[in-house]
Amino acid sequence: MRHVKISDSAEQSFQLTREVVPHFYNPLHFHNKIELTYIVQSRGSAFIGDYIGQFLEDDMFFLGSKLPHDFKNSPDFFKNNEKLKAEAIVLHFKEDFLGQNFFLLPEMKTINNFLESTRKGIKVKGKTKSKIKEILFEIQNQSQVKQITQIIEILEILATSNEIEHLSTTLPSKKFNYSDAEKLDKVLTYAIGHFKEKISLEAIANVASMNPSSFCRYFKLRTNRSFSEFILELRLENACNLLINSNFTIEQIALECGFESSSYFYRSFKKLKKETPSSFQKRIIGGRK
């Protein structure tokens, strides 16, 4: 994880960008801006605070300032496949971008409470997402004054919605530093490249330049899970991707994601996802139609 400085412009109090790249390129990072990210097209694993999950085309995330996060694409985005693109619309702004006391106004109480309650990050769903998506496509062609009013409109829509999913279970730690940044990003990158294999504790501790016992304590403290739990979640998130983006059988997906048997995959999936692989597949694919 690294501290990333989002450049400030003398001409604008917020930054709105549209990225179209072969794959997302940021490491695990944090910054002092609030971030709204809409995934136009792409898929992979999302790491937000201590949350690990899947991101797909048409997903939307709202992230508090200084919250560690990264959207790492699936391995097939790194195989020079010209048909695959990673595209996102990203809005960055400081909490005081309209003035230090703007959101303390009585009229802004609902939005201010929302900003306080979502510092751990949220996933936006349903009609709320559709409304905000429409604004994000419109806002790019508006005057700067109109853009500011539309950002306030986005915040009001979010603040009055119940179509949100809270993600990380913990607030950003003040103890995170640049050393943590590099260590955790190296661990994430290595794990994503080798999760199908059996990763020894010695190997992953070496990646972090630590001894095994110190690494176990360190990783648990920073992520609220053991490394073995993390690998299991990573395998299951990749299995979710294959369930909805491939024609593989359950048995093939289990082997492809590093599970020793399809029965162990089935049990693990049901325990963590609270549904079977087949029901997950039908629910997601059915929702796309």
Side-chain angles (χ1 to χ4, degrees), residues 15-256:
Q15 291 76 43
L16 180 69
T17 58
R18 185 166 184 166
E19 299 179 350
V20 184
V21 291
H23 55 80
F24 295 135
Y25 48 82
N26 272 331
L28 186 68
H29 65 286
F30 61 96
H31 47 68
N32 65 350
K33 302 284 182 75
I34 293 170
E35 176 177 319
L36 175 67
T37 292
Y38 172 63
I39 307 294
V40 180
Q41 57 177 327
S42 193
R43 62 179 182 270
S45 297
F47 302 91
I48 299 169
D50 63 12
Y51 167 84
I52 300 172
Q54 190 181 33
F55 72 89
L56 299 168
E57 178 179 314
D58 200 40
D59 276 348
M60 184 179 290
F61 300 88
F62 187 87
L63 312 175
S65 65
K66 299 183 181 177
L67 179 64
H69 61 279
D70 189 17
F71 299 100
K72 289 190 180 294
N73 283 117
S74 301
D76 45 344
F77 279 78
F78 298 88
K79 296 178 180 177
N80 298 318
N81 186 341
E82 295 182 359
K83 294 181 180 180
L84 293 177
K85 295 291 182 184
E87 182 178 358
I89 299 174
V90 186
L91 173 66
H92 288 111
F93 59 92
K94 287 184 178 179
E95 194 163 338
D96 62 355
F97 82 110
L98 294 174
Q100 200 164 22
N101 297 316
F102 182 80
F103 288 118
L104 296 180
L105 293 171
E107 295 82 359
M108 295 293 111
K109 183 177 180 180
T110 301
I111 292 177
N112 189 53
N113 290 341
F114 165 76
L115 292 173
E116 284 294 319
S117 69
T118 57
R119 290 172 61 198
K120 301 174 186 178
I122 61 172
K123 187 174 183 179
V124 187
K125 301 180 176 182
K127 293 181 180 178
T128 301
K129 180 180 67 175
S130 298
K131 291 177 184 177
I132 296 172
K133 179 172 66 172
E134 187 175 334
I135 295 172
L136 286 176
F137 281 108
E138 287 179 356
I139 198 173
Q140 300 169 76
N141 301 314
Q142 302 291 343
S143 68
Q144 291 183 341
V145 172
K146 181 64 174 175
Q147 287 177 331
I148 287 177
T149 63
Q150 286 180 309
I151 292 173
I152 296 173
E153 183 181 355
I154 286 173
L155 292 175
E156 183 181 26
I157 291 170
L158 287 169
T160 56
S161 173
N162 59 5
E163 295 177 303
I164 59 175
E165 174 190 351
H166 291 271
L167 300 178
S168 181
T169 62
T170 59
L171 288 170
S173 173
K174 295 179 180 179
K175 295 181 180 180
F176 275 125
N177 54 41
Y178 294 109
S179 176
D180 290 321
E182 294 183 4
K183 283 180 184 178
L184 286 178
D185 190 61
K186 286 178 181 178
V187 169
L188 271 183
T189 301
Y190 185 89
I192 287 173
H194 297 82
F195 71 89
K196 299 178 185 180
E197 310 161 14
K198 186 174 182 179
I199 303 175
S200 70
L201 191 54
E202 289 75 14
I204 196 61
N206 187 55
V207 169
S209 301
M210 303 174 77
N211 65 57
S213 58
S214 295
F215 173 78
C216 288
R217 291 192 297 271
Y218 174 85
F219 192 84
K220 181 79 172 181
L221 182 65
R222 292 294 185 268
T223 67
N224 288 327
R225 54 174 61 78
S226 68
F227 183 71
S228 61
E229 290 170 333
F230 166 73
I231 289 295
L232 177 60
E233 290 181 62
L234 194 58
R235 287 173 173 168
L236 289 173
E237 291 307 323
N238 278 272
C240 288
N241 175 46
L242 291 177
L243 281 166
I244 59 180
N245 291 296
S246 78
N247 295 318
F248 290 176
T249 65
I250 298 295
E251 290 75 17
Q252 288 172 321
I253 290 173
L255 293 175
E256 181 67 20

